[in-house]
């Protein structure tokens, strides 16, 4: 029986070899080319990229792409595709173009690109960010009076495929306004760039770093936003304030946004880690008592208790604090938020926000964002912490609650201006975050815009 089985197997092997011989050819037609040789939409010819199999049709800057006609289409000999000359396409989204020739198929991507000629960002010396008015085509940059504005080096971010003259990285004399011309195929724009040396800033971002470039990424992102969006604003170190090199006579708001990897948990840890700031507390206290306002965010929210805002009780610092390291930040699976405190919906801080599902919530992040969840809040409850309820917290600290967490913790609050002293806004919510060390694929910013809106609201409110 075994012999018969072996013979049978041998016959099968021989038959298999015959079947794989060169005499037996496939019936598949694999010789056809699937090239898109030319395609035009509304007469605009597509640019074919063989490497990515992408076809890009360049359009004027404000061209309506919602109903474009395929006015020309030429494929390889014998090829056919899912689009035809005369088809009307909504090109506000890319289209798949499937080309077949015999048994060969290639997929192409057809898209349009408007010839936008814009400057998105403009820095000088990689430190000072310009405030861009896209309608007026003006860029205004504020620098300290100690900076030589005759030899500044711009770093310019443009629309895709655009070029600019004078070029990015070319040293420029800004003692007078300078024109920068951006071109992109059919589009052209001219921006007037003005650099203003400030002797008396209206707003300051402060930190321990000697320059803004030496700040940690979280604080640097916040500072760059301020320099680009709050007029007459500068960065200053605490050492600058102590030495008196910054003229505060016209300064209305000082912002300290302080990140520490791993968090700053309570009064004693703050006192140990914020030595540079505390060495400056007399300057800060004088500024406050003379009517100057503060915006304290993240762990900087401990500072009011050390400059006499809460009386002589330094132990009124946030009692429920934590945080993660920036390079191991937590991934947001969706929007993170905190709640507007009862009765505070109309407060200036919460106006014009990007609204979410719940109108009482302040949504701050989006799916795909990495957040350290750095939190400096006040626990409320009879179990621990010293604040049995919200009224008890307001009575002891003299503050006014603006926002709370899901468990009722105080995460945003205000010390109103009174008796000639300046007002103070504090945000200690872990949701208030400026920097994600990376973004997951498909990330789209929506609610994170609220961080900028809240901050602008705070400056407008405090600078009144």
């Amino acid at each position: 029986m075994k012999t018969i089985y072996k013979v049978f197997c041998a016959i099968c092997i021989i038959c298999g070899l015959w079947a794989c011989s060169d005499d037996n050819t496939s019936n598949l037609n694999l010789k056809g080319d699937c090239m898109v040789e030319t395609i035009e939409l509304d007469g605009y010819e597509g640019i074919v990229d063989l490497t990515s199999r992408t076809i890009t049709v360049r359009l004027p800057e404000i061209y309506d792409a919602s109903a474009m006609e395929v006015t020309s289409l030429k494929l390889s000999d014998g090829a056919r595709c899912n689009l035809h000359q005369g088809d009307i396409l909504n090109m506000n989204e890319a289209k798949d173009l499937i080309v077949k020739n015999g048994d060969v198929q290639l997929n192409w991507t057809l898209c349009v690109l408007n010839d936008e000629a814009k400057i998105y960002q403009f820095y000088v010396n990689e430190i000072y960010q310009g405030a861009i008015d896209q309608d007026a085509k003006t860029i205004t940059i504020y620098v300290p009076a100690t900076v030589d504005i005759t030899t500044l080096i711009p770093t310019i971010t443009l629309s895709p495929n655009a070029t600019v003259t004078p070029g990015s990285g070319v040293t420029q004399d800004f003692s007078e306004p300078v024109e920068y011309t951006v071109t992109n195929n059919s589009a052209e724009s001219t921006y007037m760039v003005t650099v203003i040396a400030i002797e008396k800033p209206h707003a300051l971002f402060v930190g321990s770093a000697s320059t803004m470039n030496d700040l940690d990424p979280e604080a640097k992102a916040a500072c760059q936003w301020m320099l680009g969006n709050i007029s007459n604003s500068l960065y200053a170190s605490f050492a600058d304030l102590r030495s008196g090199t910054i003229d505060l006579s016209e300064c209305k708001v000082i912002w300290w946004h302080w990140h520490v990897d791993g968090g700053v948990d309570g009064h004693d840890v703050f006192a140990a880690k914020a030595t540079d700031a505390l060495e400056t507390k007399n300057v800060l206290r004088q500024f406050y008592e003379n009517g100057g306002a503060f915006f304290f965010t993240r762990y900087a929210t401990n500072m009011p208790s050390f400059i006499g805002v809460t009386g002589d009780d330094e132990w009124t610092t946030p009692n429920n604090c934590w945080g993660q390291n920036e390079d191991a930040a937590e991934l947001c699976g969706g929007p993170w938020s905190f709640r507007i405190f009862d009765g505070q919906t109309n407060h200036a801080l919460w106006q014009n926000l990007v609204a979410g599902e719940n109108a009482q919530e302040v949504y701050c992040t989006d799916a795909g964002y990495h957040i350290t969840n750095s939190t400096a809040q006040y626990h409320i409850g009879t179990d621990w912490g010293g604040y049995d309820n919200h009224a008890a917290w307001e009575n002891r600290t003299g503050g006014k609650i603006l926002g709370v967490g899901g468990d009722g913790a105080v995460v945003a609050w205000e010390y109103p201006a009174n008796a000639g002293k300046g007002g103070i806004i504090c945000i200690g919510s872990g949701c208030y975050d400026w920097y994600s060390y990376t973004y997951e694929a498909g990330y789209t910013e929506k609610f994170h815009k609220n961080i900028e809106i809240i901050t602008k609201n705070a400056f407008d409110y405090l600078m009144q």
Side-chain angles (χ1 to χ4, degrees):
M1 188 64 157
K2 292 182 178 178
T3 300
I4 295 173
Y5 176 74
K6 291 179 179 178
V7 172
F8 174 76
C9 290
I11 293 171
C12 289
I13 292 172
I14 292 170
C15 291
L17 291 173
W18 286 343
C20 296
S21 73
D22 292 338
D23 294 333
N24 188 358
T25 57
S26 170
N27 291 323
L28 295 176
N29 179 4
L30 302 178
K31 295 182 179 180
D33 288 334
C34 296
M35 285 289 297
V36 178
E37 296 185 0
T38 60
I39 185 170
E40 293 181 0
L41 301 179
D42 286 0
Y44 292 97
E45 185 173 355
I47 302 168
V48 179
D49 185 330
L50 296 178
T51 303
S52 63
R53 290 209 297 275
T54 299
I55 307 165
T56 305
V57 178
R58 300 289 295 271
L59 301 175
E61 187 167 6
I62 57 173
Y63 196 88
D64 182 3
S66 62
M68 299 192 70
E69 181 182 356
V70 181
T71 50
S72 176
L73 177 61
K74 183 178 180 182
L75 308 174
S76 302
D77 289 342
R80 62 193 189 281
C81 78
N82 60 320
L83 297 182
H84 306 88
Q85 189 167 325
D87 286 353
I88 304 298
L89 307 177
N90 180 356
M91 291 306 302
N92 288 326
E93 294 183 357
K95 296 291 183 288
D96 292 327
L97 198 155
I98 303 169
V99 181
K100 296 181 179 180
N101 198 341
D103 294 300
V104 180
Q105 173 178 312
L106 283 182
N107 293 343
W108 298 77
T109 299
L110 176 64
C111 61
V112 299
L113 179 65
N114 291 89
D115 294 332
E116 183 180 75
K118 288 185 178 180
I119 293 177
Y120 288 148
Q121 289 184 327
F122 196 108
Y123 287 88
V124 290
N125 292 5
E126 297 185 345
I127 299 176
Y128 308 103
Q129 182 178 5
I132 302 176
D133 186 328
Q134 294 290 4
D135 293 329
K137 293 293 184 289
T138 60
I139 301 174
T140 307
I141 308 168
Y142 299 96
V143 301
T146 54
V147 173
D148 181 4
I149 66 173
T150 66
T151 57
L152 296 176
I153 302 175
T155 301
I156 310 170
T157 303
L158 305 169
S159 306
N161 303 308
T163 59
V164 63
T165 305
S168 180
V170 177
T171 302
Q172 190 64 237
D173 180 356
F174 285 99
S175 54
E176 298 290 339
V178 178
E179 284 190 348
Y180 278 78
T181 300
V182 185
T183 57
N184 188 359
N185 201 29
S186 65
E188 181 175 300
S189 298
T190 298
Y191 290 77
M192 185 66 73
V193 181
T194 303
V195 176
I196 299 173
I198 303 174
E199 293 185 1
K200 299 179 180 182
H202 294 170
L204 286 179
F205 190 103
V206 297
S208 294
S210 57
T211 71
M212 184 192 75
N213 267 357
D214 298 321
L215 291 168
D216 65 89
E218 169 70 26
K220 185 177 179 179
C223 183
Q224 286 177 329
W225 177 90
M226 187 196 78
L227 297 181
N229 292 274
I230 305 300
S231 63
N232 257 39
S233 63
L234 291 176
Y235 173 79
S237 69
F238 287 118
D240 290 332
L241 296 184
R242 291 195 300 272
S243 67
T245 58
I246 300 294
D247 188 335
L248 297 177
S249 62
E250 295 183 13
C251 185
K252 297 180 180 295
V253 180
I254 294 177
W255 181 16
W256 184 25
H257 181 67
W258 188 38
H259 170 78
V260 178
D261 273 354
V264 176
D265 190 8
H267 174 280
D268 289 347
V269 178
F270 178 83
K273 292 189 175 184
T275 53
D276 193 29
L278 291 179
E279 287 176 5
T280 318
K281 70 177 184 180
N282 289 338
V283 177
L284 300 177
R285 182 167 186 161
Q286 183 177 15
F287 175 77
Y288 165 67
E289 291 179 346
N290 288 339
F294 287 107
F295 185 39
F296 290 126
T297 50
R298 197 163 282 194
Y299 304 121
T301 55
N302 286 268
M303 198 63 184
S305 299
F306 286 86
I307 58 174
V309 178
T310 58
D312 295 326
D313 190 358
E314 288 187 358
W315 293 91
T316 52
T317 54
N319 61 11
N320 190 203
C321 310
W322 64 84
Q324 299 172 8
N325 292 354
E326 196 67 75
D327 61 1
E330 183 174 352
L331 174 63
C332 296
W336 284 30
S337 67
F338 59 90
R339 184 167 58 86
I340 299 173
F341 190 57
D342 295 341
Q344 295 300 327
T345 305
N346 293 325
H347 192 280
L349 204 61
W350 312 134
Q351 302 310 302
N352 303 313
L353 299 180
V354 179
E357 183 178 348
N358 187 336
Q360 196 72 11
E361 294 288 311
V362 178
Y363 295 90
C364 299
T365 67
D366 302 284
Y369 184 93
H370 288 260
I371 190 170
T372 61
N373 194 19
S374 298
T375 301
Q377 64 182 22
Y378 290 89
H379 174 76
I380 302 297
T382 57
D383 49 349
W384 67 274
Y387 304 102
D388 290 354
N389 50 52
H390 291 122
W393 181 89
E394 291 189 334
N395 288 335
R396 180 178 173 186
T397 65
K400 183 167 66 174
I401 301 171
L402 303 180
V404 294
D407 60 353
V410 178
V411 301
W413 61 99
E414 173 185 12
Y415 301 103
N418 71 91
K421 299 176 181 179
I424 299 175
I425 293 288
C426 294
I427 301 177
S429 170
C431 298
Y432 185 84
D433 191 287
W434 280 91
Y435 174 80
S436 177
Y437 76 96
T438 187
Y439 298 90
E440 296 301 301
Y443 171 80
T444 301
E445 183 170 82
K446 178 182 178 183
F447 294 120
H448 191 247
K449 279 288 184 184
N450 282 334
I451 301 300
E452 296 181 11
I453 296 171
I454 291 168
T455 305
K456 184 63 165 62
N457 287 344
F459 272 94
D460 290 345
Y461 179 69
L462 293 169
M463 294 180 82
Q464 292 177 353

